[in-house]
Amino acid sequence: MNLELALRMTEAALKQAFREGAAVSVAVVDEGGNLVSFQRMEGAEISGPVLAQGKAYTSVALRRPTSELPALAAQGGELAGLAGAGFVCFGGGVPLWSGYGEGERVVGGVGVSGGTITQDVACAEAAASVWGAR
């Protein structure tokens, strides 16, 4: 993950948010969950910066999109109690993968917050598509 690519990913998420009619915050993190790029649209929710970075971090730490977590983190779920451990367990976080087969690994993540869950997921996926097209 480098800054130039992270900035392009952030811009792709913001363009999608504009199309969706949402005001969002976008965070891109590296494989250690460290912030590489962040932008917040004018009018975005006050919680967006924390949640966007949290979604990106969670997607890296758990190696899965955060949209998969609500059912898993619910009482009786495979990952019950996860939300209480500081992870963000709703859609808008997407891990970024590199390599193939046994060499495949998570090298970063993107998180979006501020719209509906559907909008956040669409924006995160737009950012991740830049990663896939690199």
Side-chain angles (χ1 to χ4, degrees):
M1 176 61 59
N2 63 53
L3 180 58
E4 179 184 346
L5 182 56
L7 289 171
R8 288 194 348 242
M9 292 171 60
T10 304
E11 286 299 318
L14 295 178
K15 286 179 184 176
Q16 182 63 35
F18 182 76
R19 287 190 289 271
E20 298 272 340
V24 302
S25 294
V26 182
V28 178
V29 301
D30 64 16
E31 65 189 62
N34 302 298
L35 188 62
V36 178
S37 173
F38 174 82
Q39 289 193 47
R40 179 183 174 274
M41 296 172 75
E42 185 175 339
E45 297 293 332
I46 191 171
S47 60
V50 172
L51 291 174
Q53 190 170 352
K55 289 178 185 185
Y57 174 85
T58 300
S59 71
V60 169
L62 301 178
R63 296 176 177 85
R64 64 178 67 208
T66 60
S67 60
E68 295 178 1
L69 298 177
L72 295 171
Q75 187 174 9
E78 184 179 326
L79 300 174
L82 188 67
F87 293 96
V88 180
C89 297
F90 45 92
V94 177
L96 305 170
W97 294 87
S98 182
Y100 299 97
E102 289 185 29
E104 188 174 43
R105 64 187 182 96
V106 173
V107 295
V110 60
V112 178
S113 183
T116 65
I117 296 298
T118 301
Q119 291 170 326
D120 289 354
V121 169
C123 295
E125 289 175 349
S129 71
V130 172
W131 172 260
R134 68 186 179 358

